[in-house]
Amino acid sequence: MRRLAPYQTGLWLAEYVDIRCQLCRVYRSTAPSQLLSSHLSPDAPPIADSMLTDIYRGKVARYIHRHLSRGLLCAHCHHGITWLPKPFRVDIAAGSALGIQASTFYDYPIRQAIRAFKHDEDMSKLPLLLHAIRQLPRPHGCHHDNAVIVAMPTTPQRLVKRGFDPVSILAVQLSKHWQIPLWQGVRRIDHTVSQQGLTRAERLSNLNNAFVLTETPPVKRLLLFDDVATTGASLQALGRALYKPATNTASASSLPTNRYHLSAYALAHGSQYR
C-alpha cells in the first residue's frame, strides 16, 4: 500500500473533514462545484458531471465529494483572492513568445502564505495555495496523452538546504487537478543563485544557460509551472531551453527547434493594487 506524504494527509483532512474556511476560520467552507457555479451567468448551462469526475474519480471519491466535501475556502474568502491576473508574454526566441498565466496576484494573503510555505515549511498554508492553483484555467486541448507539466526545477544544493521542494509539491497538486502528468526531464545547473532581490536584467543574466535537458520531451505540449512569476525571467529561461532541444541533448539533434508548443503557468504574479 502506497504511503501518503504528511502534507497529503493534511490536505485530505482540510478538504473533506474540516468544515471551516482555511483562511478566515470563521465561515463554513464551500464546495468547489458551488464556487464554480457562482462564476457562471444565469443562462449558462449546468456544470457537467465530467468536470467533477476529472478531480474525484472512483465510487468512493464521488461519495466523499457528494456527502463530505466542504472545499477549502468560504465564498467570501474565495472571491477575495481569485482575481485572475491578465496573462503576459516573454520572448524566448526570435518571433516566438511564451505566454504566462498566474492564478492570482502576489498580494496579501497569498504573498504571506507562499513565503511561509517556502521558507518556513509551514504546511498549514498549503490548502490556501492549493485553492488558488485550482483557479488556473485548464489549457485548451491538453490532456494526459498529449501534454506534460514541467515544474521549475531546483538544484540539489537548494534541495538539501531547504529540505523540500515547494514547487514540486504545488506541481503535483496541479497535475492531479488537471489530470496531466509531470515530466522531469530538465536539470537546473548549480552555479545559479537565488532570484530574490535581483533586478530583471540581473535575473536574466543569472539564468543564462541555467537549464539543461536530460531527455527528450515525450509530447509536443509542454506546460511550464512556477510558484511566483515576478518578472517571468525563470520561466523565460526554462522556455528557451525547451524551445531549442537540439542545443541541449544529442538525441534531439535531428528535431526541429519549433517542435514544441509551450505555455506557462504560475501560482502568483504582480499586484492588483499597482
Side-chain angles (χ1 to χ4, degrees):
M1 181 177 179
R2 187 176 62 179
R3 297 180 59 185
L4 293 176
Y7 74 87
Q8 291 175 313
T9 303
L11 284 176
W12 192 93
L13 292 173
E15 186 158 15
Y16 297 118
V17 178
D18 192 350
I19 67 172
R20 294 295 177 183
C21 171
Q22 295 294 307
L23 182 54
C24 70
R25 305 301 300 173
V26 174
Y27 300 107
R28 292 174 65 93
S29 55
T30 307
S33 58
Q34 296 177 19
L35 292 173
L36 182 59
S37 299
S38 66
H39 287 291
L40 301 177
S41 67
D43 299 328
I47 299 172
D49 289 341
S50 60
M51 294 179 66
L52 297 179
T53 55
D54 282 344
I55 305 174
Y56 305 99
R57 291 177 177 269
K59 292 182 179 180
V60 174
R62 285 196 295 271
Y63 176 88
I64 291 174
H65 171 70
R66 188 179 301 113
H67 296 282
L68 297 180
S69 177
R70 298 289 187 268
L72 294 170
L73 298 187
C74 67
H76 175 76
C77 290
H78 167 79
H79 294 303
I81 69 167
T82 53
W83 295 90
L84 197 68
K86 291 182 179 180
F88 66 103
R89 301 169 72 84
V90 292
D91 294 329
I92 56 174
S96 182
L98 175 69
I100 303 175
Q101 174 66 69
S103 66
T104 188
F105 291 101
Y106 192 46
D107 294 324
Y108 174 85
I110 294 295
R111 178 196 292 264
Q112 284 73 10
I114 292 175
R115 289 178 173 177
F117 175 63
K118 290 179 63 173
H119 303 299
D120 300 327
E121 201 171 348
D122 185 352
M123 292 297 166
S124 68
K125 307 303 182 188
L126 186 54
L128 172 60
L129 305 183
L130 171 58
H131 184 87
I133 284 176
R134 287 179 176 174
Q135 312 314 309
L136 281 170
R138 184 185 178 91
H140 180 70
C142 293
H143 51 77
H144 65 277
D145 289 329
N146 72 349
V148 293
I149 296 173
V150 185
M152 181 64 62
T154 188
T155 65
Q157 286 87 343
R158 294 180 197 173
L159 186 59
V160 169
K161 182 178 180 180
R162 179 169 284 163
F164 79 119
D165 184 4
V167 176
S168 291
I169 292 177
L170 296 173
V172 166
Q173 301 305 317
L174 182 62
S175 173
K176 292 179 179 178
H177 180 56
W178 281 350
Q179 293 296 305
I180 295 176
L182 292 171
W183 178 68
Q184 299 175 320
V186 184
R187 179 171 60 88
R188 188 161 186 161
I189 298 175
D190 297 339
H191 65 70
T192 59
V193 298
S194 173
Q195 294 285 82
Q196 292 187 7
L198 301 182
T199 66
R200 176 165 179 77
E202 290 170 337
R203 288 169 184 261
L204 290 172
S205 176
N206 180 50
L207 290 168
N208 283 338
N209 302 313
F211 302 99
V212 176
L213 272 69
T214 57
E215 58 185 87
T216 302
V219 291
K220 293 184 178 181
R221 297 177 182 238
L222 308 179
L223 313 176
L224 284 54
F225 175 76
D226 201 0
D227 53 358
V228 179
T230 305
T231 65
S234 295
L235 288 169
Q236 183 180 32
L238 181 58
R240 286 174 175 172
L242 291 165
Y243 184 80
K244 294 185 177 181
T247 64
N248 295 287
T249 59
S251 60
S253 58
S254 61
L255 296 177
T257 58
N258 61 348
R259 177 188 180 194
Y260 302 108
H261 179 272
L262 305 178
S263 55
Y265 300 86
L267 170 59
H269 165 73
S271 172
Q272 61 179 317
Y273 304 112
R274 296 175 184 173

